Structures are given as C-alpha cells and as structure tokens.
Amino acid sequence: PGSSYTLVASTFEPFMFSRFKLRLELDGPFRLTAIPREGAGMRLRELHGRWVPNTDCAGGPVDQCYARNPRFLVRTDCETPVLARLQTPQAESLPLINVSVFAFDDAVLGSACASSGSYTNSPQGVATRLATIGRAGPAEYLVVASTWDHDIDASFVLYFYSEHPVDVTPLFQ
C-alpha cells in the first residue's frame, strides 16, 4: 500500500517500436499511468565516439587526465532543459561509464550541471536527470563521456536531448 512501481516494456534496441498488451492484476485498488518515452517532445542529437586506451580513455574525475576523455561542446543562446544518455551497445563487456555536463567558461571546466552519478555498467547505459542549462545570451557547456578504467577500448553512443536548439560539436585531441 502506498508504494510506486515502474513497469518498462522494452525491445532493448533503441527506436524499435511495436504494439504490445500489458495485463496487470492486483488484490487491491491501483492506478496505472503512462510515462512519456525518454526525451519525448525534445530535440535529439545522436553522437558516436570511441575510447582508445592511452589516448582519450582517461578515467574518472579523480584522475588528473579526466579532461582528456571524449568531450562535446554544447552552445546555446537561451535557457533550455537537457538530458544526456551514454550507451556502449557494441562493447564485448560493459565498461563502467558516466556522462556529465559541465559549465564551460573561458575554456575552463566549471561546475557540474548534471551527472549520471556513480559509474555503472548497466546494459541500458547511464543518463543524467533533466537539467536546465543556458541563460539569456550565449553560453557553453562540456559533455564528458568517461570510463572509470583507463584501458577501455570501446565505441559509445551519446544521445543528447534538448528542448530548444543547441549546437553540439565533438572535441577531439
């Protein structure tokens, strides 16, 4: 009584949609509410990248080389809600990963605006919570796709959602 549960009907593969039936039976009264799909109504930018050991696979934020991880520059001219999801769909073994969004002023990595939290290796990847970035006038942010370990050789996909148009540019060393 008084508990909330989330049921997810999933094809596991992104962008595969199909009809399905869900039957739910309980001993007491309940309410079933549909939850919108991740990023529903938002603009989606799909970006592909790769971690290469000893190059841009630079570990977590406690490592001195964290800023060498794959980065994406986000430019916006207004305040906008954003969400980032990082996945490693082709990895043979799932690495511990994280995605974070940082303020980026005068080429300096600022405070974190959003993070997926602890490094994890779940099949669905990691995602930030919905966060608002930007201000009136131009603003820049860095999205950092990182692994906990330095020796990961794996490709990744970054799904970046925004309510308003933003410019997202990969930054490579």
Side-chain angles (χ1 to χ4, degrees):
S3 298
S4 294
Y5 298 93
T6 301
L7 301 172
V8 179
S10 174
T11 61
F12 187 71
E13 294 294 326
F15 305 111
M16 291 185 70
F17 303 102
S18 181
R19 296 171 54 88
F20 65 93
K21 289 184 179 181
L22 177 66
R23 182 177 172 163
L24 183 65
E25 295 182 25
L26 295 171
D27 292 338
F30 66 92
R31 183 174 40 138
L32 191 61
T33 306
I35 299 172
R37 194 175 76 232
E38 180 177 87
M42 300 177 86
R43 294 159 167 44
L44 170 62
R45 181 77 191 272
E46 183 177 321
L47 303 139
H48 296 260
R50 181 170 200 83
W51 292 290
V52 178
N54 302 315
T55 303
D56 60 6
C57 183
V62 297
D63 294 302
Q64 292 178 341
C65 298
Y66 177 74
R68 286 183 36 214
N69 279 299
R71 298 163 322 281
F72 300 84
L73 180 64
V74 178
R75 290 187 173 113
T76 181
D77 290 328
C78 65
E79 200 171 84
T80 184
V82 297
L83 170 73
R85 174 169 294 281
L86 180 65
Q87 293 182 321
T88 54
Q90 305 300 323
E92 289 182 24
S93 64
L94 297 172
L96 294 167
I97 59 174
N98 172 280
V99 61
S100 294
V101 181
F102 294 91
F104 191 61
D105 292 315
D106 297 323
V108 175
L109 195 63
S111 60
C113 304
S115 174
S116 60
S118 299
Y119 283 74
T120 188
N121 61 348
S122 63
Q124 67 271 21
V126 295
T128 65
R129 293 186 182 271
L130 192 64
T132 299
I133 64 169
R135 59 181 179 252
E140 293 184 336
Y141 297 83
L142 272 188
V143 178
V144 179
S146 63
T147 63
W148 182 254
D149 299 306
H150 293 262
D151 60 349
I152 302 301
D153 184 7
S155 60
F156 64 82
V157 181
L158 173 67
Y159 299 99
F160 191 82
Y161 300 92
S162 65
E163 190 172 298
H164 300 290
V166 297
D167 180 47
V168 184
T169 307
L171 299 177
F172 298 102
Q173 300 246 56

